[in-house]
């Protein structure tokens, strides 16, 4: 053996060991000329022979598949694009990979790939893929909903000659100054060990660009188990039987398999309808975890009458009712029994067990909970030209140095993907301009309309990918004021809205809706509505016609409709279909006419892989225009997550 720097090399008949001196490391053993990795003290990385271009590009090859939006197999051909090593401002260490997309012609079908072999222990398992990247130069289109990025990432199962789409395959950033992290997973086959990681150009763009890559990692996914506990979250509950209440405070939090609610409000004109305080949207009480009498810990109290009520619920409830045990036993009271208009009511109830929730769950290891926040002000009067970015030139705070200032060039560049809230205030004296949000140089929605002599507040939300930029502009030439209403009368705050830091991978996700609305069925595919909620564990259905997946997974969708009586010849038919992300996915049922005027019953189902945020809808079409029957019990759609994707 011998040492070079901090690495110790040792060789034998079939192996080569490369170990950091004094630390943990990995061993590579040659099996049929292909590297197989084991590990001690460190994590497994099947790209470890060259994940970072510290010395060269060995192990990586360029290819040119047939021009298409997805790769064929990621090998062979004569590509024009190149995959080289660069030492100019590398993302990590002394070098990074550099992909060069030459201009002048489409390079669709080209890319770079790396052949790797997994251990038997990782077959039929979830495998994690990650790397760092940043656009080094040129024009690169980042991915978004419905739009593929110029470069995408795939895995090819060499053993089974099968292309695998990762849980996320798009590069979502086109920033040339802020590196981004790509992270995705795929399910390895039970009989395969040889795979190819592919960086692929699937678009027809002819624009030149270069992209840097570093820190590639492919290995078994890590899982964290625990009990989800959230902070208190403000919400507006649906009240029944309590009149038009004045809600001053209402909150909920999740603790394991249950939800807690608390708050206070003033009663409106109560009615004889059963009184209830709604649970957060999309949750229902779990009947299997309720006591026989359905009494939940907590109370509702009428401070004006010094009365305390017992909270009651039954399985499937989406609200909590109340009982006065002294006078009525365990019976839910109507609103007029709770109090009179203007009475102040306080409540604190829980735990309330929820359908589909579990106390011991697998947590996501991919949550991005970084705080992204920036606040800037105009401290002196500044002239702002029509539809030109307002120069909020003085920084109060900026966690990621995401703002670049300057007259006519001010902008906030998103350092990471997410939903951002834009808020603040502005004051321009006697004028009445409108304030509008712009994204990537394109006008979006209006934030506020200014009233002469009044400092105006504004607030709005917008989805941004890493590298997207926003600014705010007035629709007329004005001069912002300062000093009139204080030094900071013109201020902008931009904050990324973080979601929950954990998700439960093994939670039950299910919904079921019926319909008696009689949706129209046209001679072309017509969107069908289902509005009668039976169950919706995660609020995935929008209440009318669309399901949005709350988590990655394989979803079973079943749908059935009964038509009104309609006459169809034996050459005519009615079709039921599933749309995924707004496009036809598959026809799931078809009924052929018999020449008589009858009602047709169509039932069908399918198993569809969905990523979080993807959508499903039910459509129907007929040779003759008709509609759903309004009879109850026939029209229904159910969707359930039946496995991980």
């Amino acid at each position: 053996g011998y040492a070079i720097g901090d690495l110790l090399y040792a060789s034998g008949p079939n192996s080569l060991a490369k170990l950091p001196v004094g630390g943990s490391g990995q061993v590579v053993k040659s099996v049929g000329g292909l590297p197989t990795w084991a590990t001690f003290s460190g994590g497994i990385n099947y790209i470890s022979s060259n994940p970072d271009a510290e010395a060269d590009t060995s192990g990586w090859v360029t290819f040119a598949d047939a021009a298409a939006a997805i790769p064929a197999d990621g090998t062979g051909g004569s590509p024009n694009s190149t995959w080289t090593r660069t030492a100019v401002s590398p993302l990590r260490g002394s070098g990074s990979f550099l992909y060069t997309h030459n201009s002048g012609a489409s390079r669709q079908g080209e890319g770079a790939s790396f052949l790797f072999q997994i251990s038997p222990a990782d077959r039929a398992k979830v495998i994690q893929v990650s790397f760092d990247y940043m656009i080094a130069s040129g024009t690169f289109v980042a991915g978004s909903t419905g739009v593929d990025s110029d470069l995408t990432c795939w895995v090819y199962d060499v053993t089974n000659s099968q292309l695998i789409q990762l849980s996320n395959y798009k590069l979502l950033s086109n920033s040339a100054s802020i590196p981004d992290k790509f992270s995705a997973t795929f399910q390895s086959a039970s009989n395969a060990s040889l795979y190819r990681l592919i960086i692929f150009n699937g678009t027809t763009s002819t624009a030149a660009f270069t992209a840097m890559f570093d820190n590639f990692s492919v290995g078994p996914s890590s899982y964290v188990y625990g009990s989800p506990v959230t902070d208190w979250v403000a919400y507006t509950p649906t009240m029944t039987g309590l009149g038009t209440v004045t809600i001053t405070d209402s909150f909920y939090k999740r603790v394991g398999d249950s939800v807690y609610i608390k708050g206070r409000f003033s009663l409106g004109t109560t009615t004889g309808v059963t009184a209830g305080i709604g649970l957060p949207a999309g949750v229902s009480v779990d009947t299997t975890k309720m006591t026989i009498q359905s009494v939940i810990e907590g109370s509702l109290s009428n401070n004006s009458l010094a009365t305390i009520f017992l909270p009651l619920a039954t399985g499937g409830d989406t609200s909590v009712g109340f009982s006065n045990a002294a006078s009525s036993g365990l019976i839910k009271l109507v609103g007029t029994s709770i109090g009179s208009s203007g009475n102040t009511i306080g409540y604190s109830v829980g735990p309330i067990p929820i359908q589909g929730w579990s106390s011991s769950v697998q947590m996501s290891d991919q949550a991005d909970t970084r705080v992204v926040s920036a606040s800037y002000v105009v401290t002196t009067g500044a002239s702002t030209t029509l539809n030109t970015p307002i120069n909020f030139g003085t920084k109060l705070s900026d966690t990621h140095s995401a703002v670049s200032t300057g007259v006519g060039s001010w902008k906030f560049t998103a350092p990471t993907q997410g939903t951002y809230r834009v808020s603040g205030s502005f004051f321009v004296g006697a004028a009445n301009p409108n304030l509008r949000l712009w994204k990537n140089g394109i006008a979006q929605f209006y934030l506020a309309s200014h009233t002469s002599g009044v400092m105006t507040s504004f607030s709005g939300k917008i989805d941004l990918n890493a590298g997207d930029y926003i600014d705010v502009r007035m629709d007329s030439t004005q001069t912002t004021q300062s000093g009139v209403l204080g030094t900071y009368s013109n201020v902008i705050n931009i904050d990324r809205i973080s979601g929950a830091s954990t998700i439960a991978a093994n939670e039950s996700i299910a919904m079921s809706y019926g319909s008696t609305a009689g949706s129209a069925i046209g001679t072309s595919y017509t969107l069908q509505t289902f509005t009668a909620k039976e169950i919706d564990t995660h609020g995935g259905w929008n209440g009318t016609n669309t399901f949005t997946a709350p988590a990655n997974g394989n979803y079973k969708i079943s749908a059935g409709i009964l038509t009104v009586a309609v006459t169809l010849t034996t050459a005519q038919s009615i079709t039921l279909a599933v749309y995924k992300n707004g496009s036809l996915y598959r026809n799931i049922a078809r009924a052929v006419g018999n020449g008589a005027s009858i009602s047709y019953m169509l039932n069908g189902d399918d198993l569809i892989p969905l990523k979080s945020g993807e959508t499903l809808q039910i459509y129907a079409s007929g040779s003759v225009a008709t509609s759903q029957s309004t009879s109850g019990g026939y029209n229904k759609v159910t969707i359930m997550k039946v496995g991980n994707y």
Side-chain angles (χ1 to χ4, degrees):
Y2 55 92
I4 299 178
D6 64 349
L7 296 177
L8 173 66
Y9 290 79
S11 61
N14 286 311
S15 65
L16 171 67
K18 184 171 103 174
L19 312 178
V21 176
S24 64
Q26 296 175 319
V27 174
V28 60
K29 180 178 180 181
S30 176
V31 179
L34 295 169
T36 301
W37 290 88
T39 185
F40 38 86
S41 301
I44 296 172
N45 183 8
Y46 292 116
I47 311 292
S48 285
S49 59
N50 193 2
D52 48 20
E54 288 302 288
D56 52 36
T57 61
S58 59
W60 292 86
V61 297
T62 54
F63 66 87
D65 286 344
I70 61 176
D73 57 11
T75 186
S78 302
N80 291 284
S81 305
T82 61
W83 183 264
T84 58
R85 177 183 182 270
T86 179
V88 178
S89 301
L91 299 181
R92 294 179 185 271
S94 60
S96 292
F97 298 106
L98 184 71
Y99 180 86
T100 300
H101 179 278
N102 302 310
S103 64
S106 169
R107 308 303 179 191
Q108 188 182 45
E110 300 183 359
S113 65
F114 187 97
L115 190 67
F116 64 94
Q117 183 169 315
I118 68 172
S119 301
D122 289 327
R123 294 175 186 171
K125 300 292 192 305
V126 176
I127 305 297
Q128 183 84 31
V129 177
S130 67
F131 54 81
D132 301 322
Y133 71 96
M134 185 178 75
I135 306 307
S137 65
T139 302
F140 178 86
V141 175
S144 61
T145 302
V147 176
D148 281 357
S149 47
D150 283 336
L151 293 179
T152 52
C153 185
W154 304 76
V155 166
Y156 185 77
D157 179 347
V158 178
T159 304
N160 296 302
S161 301
Q162 182 175 358
L163 183 67
I164 301 173
Q165 180 175 314
L166 300 175
S167 60
N168 165 47
Y169 66 97
K170 301 176 184 179
L171 274 60
L172 301 176
S173 171
N174 59 5
S175 174
S177 58
I178 304 173
D180 201 16
K181 185 79 170 182
F182 176 91
S183 183
T185 59
F186 73 95
Q187 177 81 44
S188 64
S190 61
N191 66 333
S193 59
L194 194 58
Y195 293 87
R196 186 176 291 118
L197 180 65
I198 299 172
I199 302 298
F200 180 71
N201 176 15
T203 69
T204 57
S205 171
T206 60
F209 67 83
T210 59
M212 299 172 66
F213 295 85
D214 211 320
N215 192 32
F216 281 91
S217 177
V218 177
S221 187
S222 299
Y223 301 107
V224 180
Y225 290 87
S227 183
V229 179
T230 68
D231 292 334
W232 287 104
V233 179
Y235 82 114
T236 302
T238 300
M239 304 288 191
T240 56
L242 302 175
T244 303
V245 303
T246 302
I247 302 175
T248 54
D249 297 291
S250 295
F251 300 90
Y252 77 92
K253 71 181 300 182
R254 176 180 177 178
V255 178
D257 65 348
S258 300
V259 70
Y260 289 74
I261 61 173
K262 67 177 182 179
R264 61 188 177 95
F265 56 89
S266 296
L267 285 174
T269 302
T270 56
T271 66
V273 177
T274 301
I277 298 176
L279 299 176
V283 303
S284 301
V285 177
D286 189 344
T287 184
T288 64
K289 299 176 182 178
M290 297 296 297
T291 63
I292 295 175
Q293 293 180 322
S294 302
V295 178
I296 306 168
E297 296 177 20
S299 65
L300 177 145
S301 59
N302 186 331
N303 294 345
S304 303
L305 302 176
T307 303
I308 297 178
F309 302 93
L310 295 175
L312 304 177
T314 57
D317 278 358
T318 57
S319 64
V320 175
F322 298 91
S323 169
N324 184 342
S327 61
S328 60
L330 295 177
I331 299 174
K332 292 182 180 179
L333 299 175
V334 297
T336 50
S337 299
I338 300 298
S340 303
S341 178
N343 286 174
T344 301
I345 302 293
Y347 64 94
S348 178
V349 184
I352 307 169
I354 299 301
Q355 293 180 15
W357 285 9
S358 173
S359 293
S360 180
V361 300
Q362 176 186 305
M363 305 299 188
S364 167
D365 57 355
Q366 300 183 48
D368 186 352
T369 58
R370 290 176 288 174
V371 173
V372 180
S373 179
S375 294
Y376 282 75
V377 298
V378 178
T379 55
T380 58
S383 177
T384 301
T385 306
L386 164 69
N387 289 335
T388 299
I390 299 173
N391 183 27
F392 297 90
T394 301
K395 181 176 73 174
L396 298 180
S397 64
D398 192 345
T399 58
H400 286 65
S401 298
V403 170
S404 57
T405 61
V407 176
S409 60
W410 189 98
K411 65 180 180 181
F412 170 89
T413 303
T416 185
Q417 183 189 26
T419 299
Y420 288 76
R421 186 184 304 280
V422 182
S423 62
S425 61
F426 74 114
F427 182 66
V428 294
N432 296 304
N434 297 313
L435 196 69
R436 194 169 192 176
L437 185 71
W438 289 60
K439 172 183 174 182
N440 298 332
I442 300 174
Q444 304 296 309
F445 51 85
Y446 284 100
L447 289 165
S449 179
H450 185 269
T451 300
S452 176
V454 178
M455 185 172 70
T456 302
S457 298
F458 60 87
S459 180
K461 294 188 297 184
I462 190 168
D463 292 331
L464 300 177
N465 289 324
D468 286 344
Y469 65 89
I470 56 175
D471 57 72
V472 292
R473 312 182 189 191
M474 285 186 269
D475 61 2
S476 61
T477 299
Q478 303 293 338
T479 300
T480 57
Q481 303 295 307
S482 63
V484 179
L485 296 176
T487 303
Y488 298 146
S489 56
N490 290 278
V491 60
I492 187 170
N493 305 302
I494 302 175
D495 302 279
R496 179 173 177 265
I497 303 172
S498 294
S501 61
T502 61
I503 60 172
N506 61 347
E507 285 182 16
S508 296
I509 298 176
M511 56 73 58
S512 178
Y513 277 75
S515 178
T516 57
S519 292
I521 300 173
T523 54
S524 59
Y525 284 111
T526 310
L527 183 61
Q528 301 297 288
T529 61
F530 301 87
T531 58
K533 176 182 173 182
E534 296 174 5
I535 184 175
D536 194 347
T537 60
H538 288 67
W541 191 256
N542 69 349
T544 54
N545 54 37
T546 303
F547 174 80
T548 302
N552 293 358
N554 293 315
Y555 288 80
K556 182 177 181 180
I557 179 169
S558 301
I561 62 170
L562 177 69
T563 71
V564 297
V566 59
T567 301
L568 297 175
T569 69
T570 55
Q572 295 176 322
S573 63
I574 297 176
T575 301
L576 194 65
V578 176
Y579 272 52
K580 177 179 176 180
N581 298 329
S583 299
L584 176 65
Y585 184 78
R586 187 169 290 124
N587 293 318
I588 59 173
R590 182 170 179 261
V592 178
N594 66 358
S597 177
I598 63 172
S599 295
Y600 290 89
M601 186 74 208
L602 291 89
N603 287 289
D605 57 60
D606 203 354
L607 185 64
I608 303 175
L610 296 177
K611 295 188 285 291
S612 177
E614 292 191 313
T615 60
L616 295 178
Q617 296 169 313
I618 297 297
Y619 278 72
S621 67
S623 301
V624 176
T626 181
S627 65
Q628 286 185 20
S629 168
T630 57
S631 300
Y634 292 102
N635 306 307
K636 188 174 181 179
V637 59
T638 62
I639 301 174
M640 177 180 294
K641 179 174 177 284
V642 295
N644 293 329
Y645 173 29

